[in-house]
Amino acid sequence: MGCHLGGHLARHTDVTLVGRPSVLDGLADGLTLSGAGRARAHVPPELLTRTTDPDALAGADYVLVTVKSAATAAAARELTGRLRPDTTVVSFQNGLHNARLLRDALPQTTVLAGMVPYNVVHTGPGTFHQGTTGALMLDAHPAARPLVAALRAARLDVQPRDDMPRVQHAKLLMNLNNAVNALSGLPLREQLGQRAYRLCLARCQQEALAAFAAAGVRPARLGPVPARLTPWVLRLPDAAFRRVAAASLAVDAHARSSMWEDLERGRATEVDALQGEVVAMARRHGLTAPANARLAALVHAAEQPGLHRPWTGPALLHALSGTSDATEDRQVPGH
Ligand SMILES: NC(=O)C1=CN([C@@H]2O[C@H](COP(=O)(O)OP(=O)(O)OC[C@H]3O[C@@H](n4cnc5c(N)ncnc54)[C@H](OP(=O)(O)O)[C@@H]3O)[C@@H](O)[C@H]2O)C=CC1
Ligand SMILES: CC(C)(CO)C(=O)C(=O)O
């Protein structure tokens, strides 16, 4: 995500990519951006400063944090004492707590929450493909204005919002599919086209919605269907689902979740910040979230070397069976 955002911005403003040698070395000839209906674009290496040294952020107006949730605390420690007082940090990460973690570590700094609604996959050396579309969102704040202008100049759609906690809860509901998608081994379109996988996701979302309600949080509406009705739409038979969710399925045939990419590359996933968050929130409010707990356990098992095998939809649903009432799979809203 850092290469995608940085690559787009580098054509309009000075960008320094602070990252790992394994990523930066692949950018020696620059960076190629594809997807989302834009012409394939090459960003030449002279437009990108690449470094592993966080000291390079000392002069930055903005720091966009795009590490996985488990790496936020360490990244925050690296930022501590290195930023100008007027630098603004934006967390463009999934999960609910990354901006708060950064704020706690950087109390003198303006830290904004952001949200990326679309998927980006590293498809080859220096090549980053955007497989789905949507507007970036971030806290509406005066400090965000120049960044919003730069993102727009780079032709990235962006919406400042005054309800980012609600946006992040809505995004968490979407991200509950990351585990299902990663375990399926399938592109998003193929996976969401199969009802058995959708029933797994519907169970996770139902548990999350119950936990959100108990916590007094109403997730923002990010798409055509209000969040509370999404589990019902997911449970529709395939043909009806295809009609109702045509827009959601209009994704690139190759788009996959970031968690799929983590399992493919043998990296730890973000499941603790997604399914794990629902389990923790449910517990705080005297509820349980057994489908989310089971999926988190399956993802952790798949993180072990050699243990990642694709799950069919029926097998995954069976693995979750007994974790919630199967009659839910026939439930309609209000019943
Ligand atoms: N990819 C996607 O399609 C989407 C991702 N997101 C969210 O965006 C965030 C980033 O995701 P994604 O780009 O996929 O993650 P990746 O793991 O692909 O990229 C993060 C990179 O940051 C590196 N990194 C970690 N800590 C540091 C540090 N302190 N200094 C420098 N580099 C560091 C990681 O290295 P290492 O592996 O060594 O830790 C890794 O190379 C996540 O929260 C994700 O959920 C949101 C929407 C879509
Ligand atoms: C865009 C989306 C929802 C795609 O699965 C995502 O956030 C991710 O892959 O992490």
Side-chain angles (χ1 to χ4, degrees):
M1 193 51 69
C3 291
H4 161 84
L5 293 173
H8 279 286
L9 285 167
R11 284 146 45 97
H12 302 271
T13 188
D14 287 344
V15 168
T16 297
L17 297 174
V18 180
R20 305 294 192 212
S22 55
V23 176
L24 300 177
D25 292 350
L27 308 180
D29 296 326
L31 185 157
T32 301
L33 301 163
S34 62
R38 295 186 202 92
R40 199 176 165 87
H42 184 70
V43 185
E46 57 275 17
L47 290 188
L48 294 165
T49 303
R50 295 172 290 137
T51 180
T52 56
D53 184 358
D55 278 344
L57 299 171
D61 295 318
Y62 290 98
V63 174
L64 310 187
V65 177
T66 58
V67 302
K68 288 272 166 50
S69 300
T72 305
R77 281 194 295 278
E78 288 178 17
L79 295 178
T80 303
R82 286 196 158 94
L83 304 180
R84 279 187 343 224
D86 60 341
T87 299
T88 299
V89 172
V90 187
S91 156
F92 275 117
Q93 300 167 276
N94 285 331
L96 300 180
H97 303 300
N98 290 301
R100 182 183 48 75
L101 268 174
L102 289 160
R103 257 175 226 132
D104 289 351
L106 304 164
Q108 315 296 340
T109 302
T110 302
V111 177
L112 307 180
M115 190 280 281
V116 180
Y118 50 76
N119 123 293
V120 173
V121 180
H122 191 185
T123 46
T127 305
F128 298 86
H129 181 76
Q130 181 179 337
T132 54
T133 55
L136 298 165
M137 294 182 185
L138 81 174
D139 278 316
H141 187 285
R145 283 182 199 139
L147 176 64
V148 168
L151 290 165
R152 288 184 177 150
R155 294 188 53 226
L156 291 172
D157 197 5
V158 52
Q159 276 179 26
R161 306 272 303 205
D162 52 20
D163 60 349
M164 277 306 290
R166 291 185 57 213
V167 166
Q168 288 176 306
H169 281 76
K171 182 71 196 299
L172 176 58
L173 289 172
M174 286 167 64
N175 283 134
L176 295 178
N177 189 52
N178 287 17
V180 180
N181 178 258
L183 293 174
S184 79
L186 296 173
L188 282 164
R189 191 159 80 186
E190 223 174 305
Q191 174 247 313
L192 284 168
Q194 296 186 31
R195 185 167 185 263
Y197 291 123
R198 294 198 306 277
L199 293 178
C200 298
L201 175 58
R203 287 183 187 195
C204 288
Q205 289 198 348
Q206 201 71 59
E207 291 175 0
L209 285 163
F212 293 178
V217 179
R218 210 157 45 84
R221 179 171 176 165
L222 296 182
V225 180
R228 76 192 155 79
L229 295 186
T230 311
W232 178 78
V233 172
L234 289 169
R235 291 185 191 110
L236 290 171
D238 287 342
F241 177 76
R242 272 196 294 275
R243 277 195 301 279
V244 173
S248 324
L249 290 177
V251 302
D252 195 304
H254 304 293
R256 297 175 188 256
S257 68
S258 55
M259 198 177 287
W260 171 84
E261 196 171 352
D262 288 336
L263 288 188
E264 276 305 292
R265 295 178 194 271
R267 301 186 305 213
T269 70
E270 261 182 327
V271 74
D272 289 339
L274 305 175
Q275 258 78 12
E277 179 62 42
V278 176
V279 173
M281 195 186 292
R283 193 173 297 141
R284 280 199 298 277
H285 295 281
L287 301 170
T288 59
N292 283 286
R294 181 88 177 104
L295 266 170
L298 294 177
V299 170
H300 282 311
E303 286 169 345
Q304 303 309 310
L307 291 185
H308 174 31
R309 65 174 175 91
W311 286 75
T312 65
L316 194 57
L317 190 58
H318 183 70
L320 303 191
S321 68
T323 61
S324 57
D325 181 359
T327 57
E328 267 180 16
D329 298 347
R330 295 187 295 274
Q331 197 178 309
V332 293
H335 288 233

